[in-house]
Short mmCIF file of all heavy atoms in Angstrom, two decimals:
data_model
loop_
_atom_site.label_atom_id
_atom_site.label_comp_id
_atom_site.label_asym_id
_atom_site.label_seq_id
_atom_site.Cartn_x
_atom_site.Cartn_y
_atom_site.Cartn_z
N GLU T 1229 10.93 30.65 10.21
CA GLU T 1229 11.42 29.26 10.23
C GLU T 1229 11.86 28.83 11.65
O GLU T 1229 11.75 27.67 12.00
CB GLU T 1229 12.59 29.12 9.27
CG GLU T 1229 12.15 29.22 7.82
CD GLU T 1229 13.28 28.86 6.87
OE1 GLU T 1229 14.37 28.47 7.36
OE2 GLU T 1229 13.08 28.96 5.65
N GLU T 1230 12.30 29.82 12.48
CA GLU T 1230 12.77 29.40 13.80
C GLU T 1230 11.63 28.97 14.69
O GLU T 1230 11.84 28.36 15.72
CB GLU T 1230 13.51 30.56 14.45
CG GLU T 1230 12.69 31.84 14.64
CD GLU T 1230 12.81 32.77 13.44
OE1 GLU T 1230 13.24 32.33 12.38
OE2 GLU T 1230 12.49 33.97 13.61
N THR T 1231 10.34 29.23 14.31
CA THR T 1231 9.22 28.81 15.07
C THR T 1231 8.59 27.54 14.55
O THR T 1231 7.65 27.02 15.14
CB THR T 1231 8.15 29.91 15.11
OG1 THR T 1231 7.63 30.08 13.80
CG2 THR T 1231 8.74 31.23 15.63
N VAL T 1232 9.07 27.04 13.43
CA VAL T 1232 8.52 25.81 12.81
C VAL T 1232 9.47 24.67 12.99
O VAL T 1232 10.64 24.75 12.58
CB VAL T 1232 8.25 26.05 11.32
CG1 VAL T 1232 7.70 24.79 10.68
CG2 VAL T 1232 7.25 27.18 11.12
N PRO T 1233 9.04 23.54 13.57
CA PRO T 1233 9.95 22.41 13.82
C PRO T 1233 10.24 21.58 12.58
O PRO T 1233 11.17 20.78 12.57
CB PRO T 1233 9.26 21.62 14.89
CG PRO T 1233 7.80 21.87 14.63
CD PRO T 1233 7.72 23.31 14.15
N LEU T 1234 9.44 21.70 11.54
CA LEU T 1234 9.54 20.81 10.39
C LEU T 1234 9.62 21.63 9.08
O LEU T 1234 8.70 22.39 8.77
CB LEU T 1234 8.31 19.86 10.34
CG LEU T 1234 8.47 18.50 9.70
CD1 LEU T 1234 9.60 17.72 10.36
CD2 LEU T 1234 7.17 17.73 9.77
N ILE T 1235 10.74 21.45 8.36
CA ILE T 1235 10.99 22.19 7.14
C ILE T 1235 11.42 21.24 6.05
O ILE T 1235 12.19 20.28 6.31
CB ILE T 1235 12.07 23.28 7.34
CG1 ILE T 1235 11.59 24.28 8.39
CG2 ILE T 1235 12.44 23.97 6.05
CD1 ILE T 1235 12.65 25.30 8.80
N CYS T 1236 10.97 21.47 4.85
CA CYS T 1236 11.32 20.59 3.72
C CYS T 1236 12.82 20.71 3.39
O CYS T 1236 13.34 21.79 3.26
CB CYS T 1236 10.50 20.95 2.50
SG CYS T 1236 10.84 19.92 1.06
N GLY T 1237 13.48 19.57 3.27
CA GLY T 1237 14.89 19.55 2.85
C GLY T 1237 15.00 19.15 1.42
O GLY T 1237 14.28 19.64 0.54
N LYS T 1238 15.93 18.25 1.10
CA LYS T 1238 16.15 17.83 -0.28
C LYS T 1238 14.98 17.06 -0.82
O LYS T 1238 14.36 16.28 -0.11
CB LYS T 1238 17.45 17.00 -0.37
CG LYS T 1238 18.72 17.73 -0.04
CD LYS T 1238 19.91 16.81 -0.09
CE LYS T 1238 21.21 17.50 0.30
NZ LYS T 1238 22.35 16.60 0.25
N THR T 1239 14.67 17.22 -2.10
CA THR T 1239 13.63 16.45 -2.76
C THR T 1239 14.22 15.78 -4.02
O THR T 1239 15.14 16.32 -4.63
CB THR T 1239 12.45 17.37 -3.19
OG1 THR T 1239 12.89 18.29 -4.16
CG2 THR T 1239 11.85 18.05 -1.98
N LYS T 1240 13.66 14.66 -4.35
CA LYS T 1240 14.05 13.94 -5.58
C LYS T 1240 12.80 13.40 -6.23
O LYS T 1240 12.00 12.72 -5.62
CB LYS T 1240 14.99 12.76 -5.27
CG LYS T 1240 15.51 12.03 -6.50
CD LYS T 1240 16.37 10.87 -6.14
CE LYS T 1240 15.53 9.69 -5.64
NZ LYS T 1240 16.34 8.44 -5.46
N GLY T 1241 12.60 13.74 -7.52
CA GLY T 1241 11.42 13.29 -8.20
C GLY T 1241 10.22 14.17 -7.90
O GLY T 1241 10.35 15.30 -7.45
N VAL T 1242 9.05 13.63 -8.16
CA VAL T 1242 7.80 14.40 -8.00
C VAL T 1242 7.29 14.31 -6.56
O VAL T 1242 6.92 13.19 -6.12
CB VAL T 1242 6.73 13.92 -8.98
CG1 VAL T 1242 5.42 14.73 -8.80
CG2 VAL T 1242 7.22 14.03 -10.41
N VAL T 1243 7.30 15.42 -5.85
CA VAL T 1243 6.77 15.46 -4.45
C VAL T 1243 5.73 16.59 -4.41
O VAL T 1243 6.02 17.74 -4.73
CB VAL T 1243 7.91 15.76 -3.45
CG1 VAL T 1243 7.34 15.77 -2.05
CG2 VAL T 1243 9.01 14.74 -3.61
N ASN T 1244 4.54 16.25 -3.98
CA ASN T 1244 3.43 17.19 -3.92
C ASN T 1244 3.00 17.47 -2.49
O ASN T 1244 3.20 16.63 -1.61
CB ASN T 1244 2.24 16.71 -4.73
CG ASN T 1244 2.55 16.57 -6.20
OD1 ASN T 1244 3.30 17.34 -6.79
ND2 ASN T 1244 1.96 15.54 -6.82
N ILE T 1245 2.39 18.64 -2.29
CA ILE T 1245 1.86 18.97 -0.98
C ILE T 1245 0.45 19.55 -1.20
O ILE T 1245 0.22 20.29 -2.12
CB ILE T 1245 2.76 20.00 -0.25
CG1 ILE T 1245 2.14 20.35 1.14
CG2 ILE T 1245 2.97 21.25 -1.07
CD1 ILE T 1245 3.03 21.21 1.99
N GLU T 1246 -0.47 19.17 -0.33
CA GLU T 1246 -1.81 19.73 -0.31
C GLU T 1246 -1.97 20.52 0.98
O GLU T 1246 -1.87 19.95 2.06
CB GLU T 1246 -2.84 18.63 -0.44
CG GLU T 1246 -4.27 19.19 -0.49
CD GLU T 1246 -5.31 18.13 -0.63
OE1 GLU T 1246 -5.09 17.23 -1.47
OE2 GLU T 1246 -6.32 18.18 0.11
N ARG T 1247 -2.25 21.82 0.87
CA ARG T 1247 -2.37 22.68 2.04
C ARG T 1247 -3.65 23.53 1.90
O ARG T 1247 -3.85 24.23 0.90
CB ARG T 1247 -1.17 23.58 2.20
CG ARG T 1247 -1.26 24.59 3.36
CD ARG T 1247 0.01 25.36 3.50
NE ARG T 1247 1.12 24.50 3.94
CZ ARG T 1247 2.39 24.96 4.05
NH1 ARG T 1247 2.70 26.19 3.73
NH2 ARG T 1247 3.33 24.12 4.47
N LYS T 1248 -4.54 23.36 2.84
CA LYS T 1248 -5.82 24.13 2.83
C LYS T 1248 -6.58 23.91 1.54
O LYS T 1248 -7.15 24.85 0.97
CB LYS T 1248 -5.57 25.62 3.11
CG LYS T 1248 -4.92 25.87 4.44
CD LYS T 1248 -4.71 27.37 4.71
CE LYS T 1248 -4.12 27.60 6.08
NZ LYS T 1248 -3.85 29.03 6.36
N GLY T 1249 -6.54 22.67 1.05
CA GLY T 1249 -7.31 22.33 -0.14
C GLY T 1249 -6.62 22.72 -1.44
O GLY T 1249 -7.18 22.46 -2.53
N ILE T 1250 -5.42 23.27 -1.39
CA ILE T 1250 -4.69 23.66 -2.60
C ILE T 1250 -3.46 22.78 -2.74
O ILE T 1250 -2.65 22.65 -1.81
CB ILE T 1250 -4.28 25.16 -2.55
CG1 ILE T 1250 -5.52 26.03 -2.41
CG2 ILE T 1250 -3.48 25.54 -3.82
CD1 ILE T 1250 -5.22 27.50 -2.22
N GLY T 1251 -3.30 22.18 -3.92
CA GLY T 1251 -2.14 21.31 -4.16
C GLY T 1251 -1.09 21.93 -5.05
O GLY T 1251 -1.43 22.67 -5.99
N TYR T 1252 0.15 21.71 -4.74
CA TYR T 1252 1.25 22.24 -5.54
C TYR T 1252 2.50 21.45 -5.27
O TYR T 1252 2.54 20.58 -4.36
CB TYR T 1252 1.46 23.73 -5.28
CG TYR T 1252 1.72 24.11 -3.82
CD1 TYR T 1252 3.00 24.20 -3.30
CD2 TYR T 1252 0.65 24.37 -2.98
CE1 TYR T 1252 3.20 24.54 -1.98
CE2 TYR T 1252 0.85 24.71 -1.65
CZ TYR T 1252 2.14 24.79 -1.16
OH TYR T 1252 2.34 25.12 0.17
N THR T 1253 3.57 21.70 -6.02
CA THR T 1253 4.84 20.98 -5.88
C THR T 1253 5.57 21.47 -4.64
O THR T 1253 5.73 22.67 -4.43
CB THR T 1253 5.73 21.18 -7.13
OG1 THR T 1253 5.01 20.70 -8.27
CG2 THR T 1253 7.03 20.42 -6.96
N LEU T 1254 6.02 20.52 -3.82
CA LEU T 1254 6.76 20.88 -2.62
C LEU T 1254 8.19 21.23 -2.97
O LEU T 1254 8.88 20.49 -3.66
CB LEU T 1254 6.71 19.70 -1.64
CG LEU T 1254 7.40 19.93 -0.28
CD1 LEU T 1254 6.77 21.10 0.47
CD2 LEU T 1254 7.30 18.65 0.57
N LYS T 1255 8.66 22.35 -2.48
CA LYS T 1255 10.01 22.84 -2.78
C LYS T 1255 10.87 22.84 -1.47
O LYS T 1255 10.34 22.92 -0.39
CB LYS T 1255 9.96 24.25 -3.35
CG LYS T 1255 9.18 24.37 -4.63
CD LYS T 1255 9.87 23.73 -5.78
CE LYS T 1255 9.13 23.93 -7.10
NZ LYS T 1255 9.04 25.31 -7.52
N LYS T 1256 12.14 22.81 -1.71
CA LYS T 1256 13.11 22.86 -0.58
C LYS T 1256 12.92 24.14 0.24
O LYS T 1256 12.61 25.20 -0.36
CB LYS T 1256 14.56 22.74 -1.12
CG LYS T 1256 15.58 22.70 0.01
CD LYS T 1256 16.98 22.59 -0.59
CE LYS T 1256 18.02 22.54 0.52
NZ LYS T 1256 19.41 22.53 0.01
N ASP T 1257 13.13 24.04 1.53
CA ASP T 1257 13.05 25.16 2.49
C ASP T 1257 11.59 25.62 2.76
O ASP T 1257 11.39 26.63 3.45
CB ASP T 1257 13.84 26.38 2.03
CG ASP T 1257 15.33 26.06 1.91
OD1 ASP T 1257 15.80 25.24 2.73
OD2 ASP T 1257 16.02 26.64 1.06
N THR T 1258 10.61 24.86 2.28
CA THR T 1258 9.22 25.21 2.58
C THR T 1258 8.88 24.81 4.01
O THR T 1258 9.06 23.61 4.36
CB THR T 1258 8.22 24.50 1.64
OG1 THR T 1258 8.48 24.90 0.29
CG2 THR T 1258 6.79 24.81 2.00
N PRO T 1259 8.43 25.76 4.88
CA PRO T 1259 8.04 25.39 6.25
C PRO T 1259 6.77 24.56 6.20
O PRO T 1259 5.83 24.85 5.45
CB PRO T 1259 7.80 26.73 6.91
CG PRO T 1259 8.43 27.76 6.04
CD PRO T 1259 8.35 27.20 4.66
N MET T 1260 6.72 23.48 6.96
CA MET T 1260 5.53 22.63 6.99
C MET T 1260 4.53 23.23 7.99
O MET T 1260 4.86 23.98 8.86
CB MET T 1260 5.92 21.22 7.39
CG MET T 1260 7.00 20.61 6.50
SD MET T 1260 6.69 20.71 4.72
CE MET T 1260 5.25 19.69 4.58
N ALA T 1261 3.28 22.81 7.83
CA ALA T 1261 2.20 23.31 8.71
C ALA T 1261 1.24 22.20 9.07
O ALA T 1261 1.11 21.20 8.34
CB ALA T 1261 1.45 24.46 8.02
N GLU T 1262 0.57 22.36 10.16
CA GLU T 1262 -0.41 21.38 10.60
C GLU T 1262 -1.50 21.25 9.54
O GLU T 1262 -2.04 22.25 9.05
CB GLU T 1262 -1.00 21.81 11.94
CG GLU T 1262 -1.90 20.75 12.58
CD GLU T 1262 -2.27 21.09 14.00
OE1 GLU T 1262 -1.39 21.58 14.74
OE2 GLU T 1262 -3.46 20.93 14.35
N GLY T 1263 -1.85 20.01 9.23
CA GLY T 1263 -2.86 19.76 8.21
C GLY T 1263 -2.30 19.47 6.82
O GLY T 1263 -3.06 19.08 5.92
N ASP T 1264 -0.97 19.68 6.63
CA ASP T 1264 -0.37 19.41 5.31
C ASP T 1264 -0.41 17.94 4.99
O ASP T 1264 -0.22 17.09 5.86
CB ASP T 1264 1.07 19.87 5.31
CG ASP T 1264 1.23 21.39 5.27
OD1 ASP T 1264 0.22 22.05 5.04
OD2 ASP T 1264 2.38 21.88 5.42
N LEU T 1265 -0.67 17.63 3.71
CA LEU T 1265 -0.58 16.28 3.20
C LEU T 1265 0.51 16.22 2.20
O LEU T 1265 0.45 16.89 1.18
CB LEU T 1265 -1.93 15.85 2.58
CG LEU T 1265 -1.94 14.44 1.97
CD1 LEU T 1265 -1.75 13.37 3.04
CD2 LEU T 1265 -3.25 14.18 1.21
N VAL T 1266 1.57 15.45 2.47
CA VAL T 1266 2.72 15.32 1.58
C VAL T 1266 2.62 14.00 0.84
O VAL T 1266 2.37 12.94 1.47
CB VAL T 1266 4.05 15.39 2.38
CG1 VAL T 1266 5.22 15.29 1.41
CG2 VAL T 1266 4.13 16.70 3.15
N GLU T 1267 2.83 14.03 -0.46
CA GLU T 1267 2.72 12.83 -1.29
C GLU T 1267 3.92 12.69 -2.20
O GLU T 1267 4.27 13.66 -2.92
CB GLU T 1267 1.44 12.87 -2.16
CG GLU T 1267 1.27 11.68 -3.06
CD GLU T 1267 0.13 11.82 -4.01
OE1 GLU T 1267 -0.24 12.98 -4.32
OE2 GLU T 1267 -0.42 10.78 -4.46
#
């Protein structure tokens, strides 16, 4: 985490992430990565 500038904080409701063609629910403390699509 100390090498990643962007990390998921609090979420409310339905928040999804698509990473490398795979979609799933975004959870708190998930490190973000280049190419991620957050919805």
Side-chain angles (χ1 to χ4, degrees):
E1229 291 188 3
E1230 60 270 17
T1231 65
V1232 178
L1234 208 56
I1235 297 173
C1236 180
K1238 296 179 181 178
T1239 64
K1240 183 183 76 171
V1242 179
V1243 182
N1244 298 324
I1245 179 173
E1246 182 179 314
R1247 176 176 293 175
K1248 298 182 178 179
I1250 301 175
Y1252 54 94
T1253 301
L1254 182 60
K1255 300 289 183 64
K1256 184 180 179 183
D1257 297 329
T1258 299
M1260 307 308 295
E1262 188 170 318
D1264 287 350
L1265 178 63
V1266 181
E1267 178 188 26

